[in-house]
Amino acid sequence: MTWTAVLLVTAVVWVVSVIRSVRLRAFVYSLPLPMTLALVTTGHPVDGPQLLGVVGLNLFFVTVAVTHRRLRWPILPADLAGVAVYVAFSTGVLAVPVPFEAALAGTGALWALTMLLLRRQAAGAPDPEPADVRRDGLAAPAKLLVIFVGALLTGLLGGLLRGMVVTFPYSGVLVAVEARRQLAEFSRHFARNSLALVGFLAGHHYFQDISSPGLALAAGWAVFALVAAALHLPRPAALLRIEWPKSRLTSGRAGNGRIPLRKPQRNG
């Protein structure tokens, strides 16, 4: 990556790092802004390995969460462990040919299985206690330094990662530090949003050979927006659900779960 790209990544990540809501932060960090910059500056085509790179992004956050929360590692060594896992995963992916359609089917199936497991886990788990996000914030100079080092690290690893530098956790280097008390919750939200990233890469892949780079990026962003809307917009069943007022339900006696209807009486 060029120095201009490093500075652009630094600026973009710093702007979105001020968000406090974990759910909103996970969504904003899933926006393919760093991917777009990497595709523009490196010229790497999108193929099967990049789809598996989305899996590597999730492995990064899971590694940081496990090492920091369960193994009690300090956040910076845990962050470096996540980067090491991503680099090792990318090296293995690049060692074998990965057809795009096979990677797309496998990534989609893995996402569906992950969502099913997370839903079952959430159903049997108590509600998490709200974390004090004010204690997680870094001072602005330290924040800029962490972002810059993370962006610079991606530039130095560009030769080793090759095409996998497109999905490198640029912003993850900072968000893991900022949201260290909420890593488990952030990882769950990010895993859900990962399907939109898969859509972005798929849209770019199918247009990169038949159109200009700008149109391929526009197609990727359009697919990302459609998938993100499908994931986050309210479901039709929720919009059509009708709830009776409590006064209507308690105005008469209800027996066996039914509310008796009284025949109206005529005056006189």
Side-chain angles (χ1 to χ4, degrees), residues 153-172:
L153 182 61
T154 63
L156 296 176
L157 292 174
L160 174 64
L161 294 175
R162 291 176 286 173
M164 296 297 286
V165 76
V166 172
T167 53
F168 186 87
Y170 302 91
S171 55

Side-chain angles (χ1 to χ4, degrees), residues 3 36 46 68 80 82 96 114 140 142 146 156 168 176-177 210-211 225 229 232:
W3 282 105
T36 300
V46 173
H68 179 62
L80 292 177
V96 295
T114 302
V146 172
L156 296 176
F168 186 87
V177 177
I210 61 175
S211 62
H232 293 281

Side-chain angles (χ1 to χ4, degrees), residues 18-27 133 182 185-186:
V18 299
I19 299 172
R20 290 302 175 209
S21 169
V22 178
R23 185 172 183 175
L24 181 58
R25 178 184 290 184
F27 174 76
V133 296
Q182 302 164 308
E185 183 182 357
F186 177 89

Side-chain angles (χ1 to χ4, degrees), residues 198-215:
V198 172
F200 169 81
L201 293 173
H204 187 283
H205 170 80
Y206 287 113
F207 277 83
Q208 65 187 359
D209 295 330
I210 61 175
S211 62
S212 64
L215 288 178

Side-chain angles (χ1 to χ4, degrees), residues 7 11 38 51 76 83 201 204 208 238 244 251 257 261:
L7 293 177
L51 282 180
L76 292 181
V83 172
L201 293 173
H204 187 283
Q208 65 187 359
W244 288 90
S251 59
L261 297 178

Side-chain angles (χ1 to χ4, degrees), residues 5-264:
V6 171
L7 293 177
L8 284 175
V9 170
T10 301
V12 169
V13 177
W14 183 81
V15 169
V16 298
S17 67
V18 299
I19 299 172
R20 290 302 175 209
S21 169
V22 178
R23 185 172 183 175
L24 181 58
R25 178 184 290 184
F27 174 76
V28 173
Y29 272 89
S30 68
L31 294 174
L33 291 170
M35 289 187 184
T36 300
L37 290 175
L39 289 171
V40 170
T41 57
T42 63
H44 287 296
V46 173
D47 211 337
Q50 282 71 49
L51 282 180
L52 296 182
V54 178
V55 179
L57 279 174
N58 285 279
L59 288 177
F60 166 82
F61 286 112
V62 170
T63 301
V64 177
V66 170
T67 53
H68 179 62
R69 301 298 295 175
R70 294 190 178 182
L71 302 182
R72 304 297 182 181
W73 288 20
I75 187 59
L76 292 181
D79 215 0
L80 292 177
V83 172
V85 167
Y86 180 86
V87 173
F89 176 80
S90 301
T91 303
V93 169
L94 293 173
V96 295
V98 182
F100 185 84
E101 282 70 21
L104 182 59
T107 305
L110 183 59
W111 180 86
L113 178 60
T114 302
M115 293 301 100
L116 179 61
L117 294 176
L118 288 177
R119 183 175 299 178
R120 290 183 177 180
Q121 182 182 5
D127 294 335
E129 297 182 359
D132 186 3
V133 296
R134 293 174 299 178
R135 298 178 59 185
D136 287 334
L138 294 176
K143 187 181 298 184
L144 284 173
L145 179 61
V146 172
I147 299 172
F148 180 77
V149 171
L152 182 60
L153 182 61
T154 63
L156 296 176
L157 292 174
L160 174 64
L161 294 175
R162 291 176 286 173
M164 296 297 286
V165 76
V166 172
T167 53
F168 186 87
Y170 302 91
S171 55
V173 173
L174 172 68
V175 74
V177 177
E178 288 261 303
R180 56 188 177 273
R181 298 180 186 275
Q182 302 164 308
L183 279 174
E185 183 182 357
F186 177 89
S187 299
R188 290 192 297 269
H189 289 302
F190 184 81
R192 185 187 182 197
N193 296 330
S194 295
L195 187 64
L197 290 178
V198 172
F200 169 81
L201 293 173
H204 187 283
H205 170 80
Y206 287 113
F207 277 83
Q208 65 187 359
D209 295 330
I210 61 175
S211 62
S212 64
L215 288 178
L217 286 172
W221 274 94
V223 178
F224 174 88
L226 289 175
V227 177
L231 290 174
H232 293 281
L233 286 179
R235 298 180 181 178
L239 295 176
L240 296 175
R241 185 169 51 193
I242 300 175
E243 296 182 358
W244 288 90
K246 291 184 178 180
S247 58
R248 184 72 59 85
L249 294 176
T250 58
S251 59
R253 295 182 179 179
N256 297 326
R258 296 178 296 179
I259 300 177
L261 297 178
R262 297 181 179 179
K263 184 177 179 180

